[in-house]
């Protein structure tokens, strides 16, 4: 019996019932190089808490410089050994605020570093990003392991093309007879940062988007086209690093009315006059996107689609257009009373069929 009890306790401890928590555990979960030139490199690092307790990224310190930080190097080797040819590639405090990562949660830090001695992928082909060990305390990481360091191949660099803003995605979120709501994702696909304020002091001069309901989607104008609003992307000094995006959502009233059969396309584009060397030097087709305005009966904000069946239950609320299931029958509320949806109404003539015993109409068409 004693042997059995010892085995049972061992199994319970092994399965974690009596096991101790291991604490927080920060790791570098992913690294992405977004741009690389002769003297600068941009990248993002995803920091994840893979432990079983929350991780305080400020380590309960009062000074930002003591918070959890990451460091990067351009490396000659990817085996963890140092070399005289290695070059520092920047680093940063993850957050100066009190960010807390719960178990399983992640945060992404993106930044650009200038390497004054130059970047040569043939000489330093690896980017290593790691959490600085001296900034990892009991509050942030008690398991410093290999996952705290990650090597990423540095792509062969080419000539920089500058910032390049594009309309990356457009989504219509609502549509009625006189208004339309939509969101536009603006992305910097260039290899240098994009300033959305164009270094201007007035908000109206900042990078903006414009929308039209169009008759055609080939870029040609038509007298039937209708303005569908526009907006400044940001009045503040938003900077989009290479690969970064921002989403702008808004609603526009179209006083002349919206008819998807007449203007079936929504076009959203970046206003060319607001695109300068600070924001976009590659004005291309991607700066304009056409989205189908779906025709719906009634209009588009009345359509609801589901996968699978819809279950209707009973109700005593007497509201015109309601449907209920009494447990015995499906009924619809109309003209002040509930009507069966499965039996023939009293005023329904049987000109195209006869009524079967269950109240449904039977087709009188030709039968073989």
């Amino acid at each position: 019996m004693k042997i059995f009890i010892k085995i049972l306790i061992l199994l319970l401890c092994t399965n974690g019932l009596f096991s101790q928590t291991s604490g927080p555990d920060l790791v570098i979960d992913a690294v992405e190089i977004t741009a690389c030139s002769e003297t600068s490199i941009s990248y993002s690092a995803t920091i994840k808490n893979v432990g079983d307790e929350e991780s305080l990224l400020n380590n309960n310190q009062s000074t930002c410089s003591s918070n959890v930080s990451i460091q990067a190097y351009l490396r000659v080797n990817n085996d963890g050994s140092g070399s005289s040819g290695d070059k520092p590639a920047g680093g940063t405090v993850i957050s100066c605020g009190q960010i807390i990562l719960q178990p399983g949660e992640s945060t992404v830090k993106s930044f650009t570093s200038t390497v004054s001695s130059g970047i040569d992928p043939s000489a330093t082909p690896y980017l290593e990003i790691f959490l600085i060990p001296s900034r990892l305390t009991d509050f942030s990481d008690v398991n410093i392991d290999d996952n705290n360091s990650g090597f990423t191949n540095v792509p062969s660099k080419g000539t920089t093309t500058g910032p390049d803003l594009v309309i990356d995605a457009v989504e219509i979120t609502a549509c009625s007879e006189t208004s339309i709501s939509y969101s536009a994702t603006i992305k910097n696909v260039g290899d240098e940062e994009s300033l959305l304020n164009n270094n201007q002091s007035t908000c109206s001069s900042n990078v903006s988007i414009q929308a039209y309901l169009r008759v055609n989607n080939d870029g040609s104008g038509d007298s039937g086209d209708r303005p569908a609003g526009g907006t400044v992307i940001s009045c503040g000094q938003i900077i989009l690093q290479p690969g970064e995006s921002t989403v702008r959502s808004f609603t526009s009233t179209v006083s002349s009315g919206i008819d998807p059969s007449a203007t079936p396309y929504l076009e959203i584009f970046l206003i060319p006059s607001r695109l300068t060397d600070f924001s976009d030097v590659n004005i291309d087709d991607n700066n304009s996107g056409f989205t189908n305005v779906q025709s719906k009966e009634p209009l588009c904000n009345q359509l609801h689609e589901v996968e699978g069946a819809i279950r209707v239950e009973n109700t005593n609320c007497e509201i015109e257009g309601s449907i209920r299931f009494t447990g015995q029958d499906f009924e619809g509320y109309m003209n002040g009373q509930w009507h069966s949806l499965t039996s023939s109404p009293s005023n329904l003539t049987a000109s195209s069929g006869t009524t079967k015993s269950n109240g449904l109409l039977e087709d009188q068409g030709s039968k073989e």
Side-chain angles (χ1 to χ4, degrees):
M1 177 62 71
K2 291 181 179 179
I3 295 176
F4 173 76
I5 292 175
K6 289 181 179 180
I7 294 175
L8 180 60
I9 293 175
L10 179 62
L11 288 173
L12 290 174
C13 290
T14 303
N15 288 323
L17 186 59
F18 298 143
S19 62
Q20 297 289 325
T21 58
S22 60
D25 184 8
L26 293 180
V27 299
I28 298 291
D29 191 48
V31 175
E32 180 185 3
I33 297 174
T34 54
C36 184
S37 69
E38 292 183 354
T39 57
S40 70
I41 186 168
S42 300
Y43 43 89
S44 64
T46 302
I47 298 94
K48 185 175 183 179
N49 180 9
V50 296
D52 51 17
E53 292 184 2
E54 65 182 21
S55 177
L56 286 77
L57 301 188
N58 69 343
N59 290 332
N60 274 355
Q61 303 296 315
S62 58
T63 57
C64 181
S65 60
S66 299
N67 290 7
V68 174
S69 304
I70 56 179
Q71 182 65 50
Y73 275 90
L74 293 171
R75 297 290 194 189
V76 175
N77 306 306
N78 65 347
D79 57 5
S81 62
S83 172
S84 60
D86 295 340
K87 300 178 180 180
T92 185
V93 173
I94 296 174
S95 173
C96 285
Q98 192 181 29
I99 286 185
I100 298 176
L101 284 187
Q102 298 296 333
E105 287 187 338
S106 301
T107 185
V108 179
K109 188 66 175 177
S110 301
F111 56 109
T112 298
S113 174
T114 298
V115 183
S116 58
S117 57
I119 299 175
D120 182 0
S122 64
T124 53
Y126 307 105
L127 172 69
E128 180 188 17
I129 296 183
F130 57 89
L131 296 166
I132 300 176
S134 61
R135 306 285 173 79
L136 300 174
T137 70
D138 289 343
F139 294 109
S140 58
D141 192 335
V142 294
N143 294 319
I144 300 177
D145 50 41
D146 292 338
N147 285 327
N148 279 322
S149 178
F151 292 92
T152 305
N153 290 332
V154 179
S156 297
K157 62 181 181 299
T159 303
T160 57
T161 59
D164 185 7
L165 293 179
V166 300
I167 298 290
D168 191 47
V170 175
E171 180 184 3
I172 297 174
T173 54
C175 182
S176 69
E177 292 183 353
T178 57
S179 71
I180 187 168
S181 300
Y182 43 90
S183 65
T185 302
I186 298 93
K187 185 175 183 179
N188 181 9
V189 296
D191 51 19
E192 292 183 1
E193 66 181 20
S194 176
L195 287 81
L196 301 188
N197 68 344
N198 291 331
N199 275 353
Q200 303 295 315
S201 58
T202 57
C203 181
S204 60
S205 298
N206 290 8
V207 174
S208 304
I209 55 179
Q210 181 66 49
Y212 276 89
L213 293 171
R214 298 289 193 189
V215 174
N216 306 305
N217 65 346
D218 56 5
S220 62
D222 189 278
S223 59
D225 294 341
R226 297 173 181 176
T231 185
V232 173
I233 296 174
S234 173
C235 285
Q237 192 182 26
I238 286 184
I239 298 175
L240 284 187
Q241 297 295 336
E244 287 187 336
S245 301
T246 184
V247 179
R248 185 66 173 167
S249 301
F250 55 110
T251 298
S252 174
T253 299
V254 183
S255 57
S256 56
I258 299 175
D259 181 1
S261 64
T263 54
Y265 307 106
L266 172 69
E267 181 188 16
I268 296 183
F269 57 90
L270 296 166
I271 300 176
S273 61
R274 307 285 174 79
L275 300 173
T276 70
D277 290 342
F278 294 109
S279 59
D280 192 333
V281 294
N282 293 321
I283 300 178
D284 49 39
D285 292 338
N286 285 328
N287 279 322
S288 179
F290 291 91
T291 304
N292 289 332
V293 181
Q294 296 183 1
S295 178
K296 303 174 177 67
E297 292 294 341
L299 286 171
C300 34
N301 64 342
Q302 299 298 311
L303 179 66
H304 300 281
E305 297 181 0
V306 298
E307 293 184 3
I310 298 177
R311 181 179 178 180
V312 180
E313 299 204 6
N314 200 8
T315 181
N316 291 321
C317 296
E318 297 180 343
I319 301 175
E320 290 289 311
S322 297
I323 297 175
R324 73 181 181 182
F325 177 60
T326 65
Q328 303 294 326
D329 193 10
F330 287 97
E331 297 179 338
Y333 193 81
M334 182 178 66
N335 295 330
Q337 59 182 319
W338 290 100
H339 301 272
S340 173
L341 300 178
T342 60
S343 60
S344 175
S346 58
N347 63 347
L348 182 63
T349 61
S351 60
S352 60
T354 60
T355 304
K356 297 193 292 186
S357 59
N358 62 0
L360 298 179
L361 290 180
E362 181 180 27
D363 184 17
Q364 296 297 307
S366 60
K367 299 181 181 179
E368 294 183 0

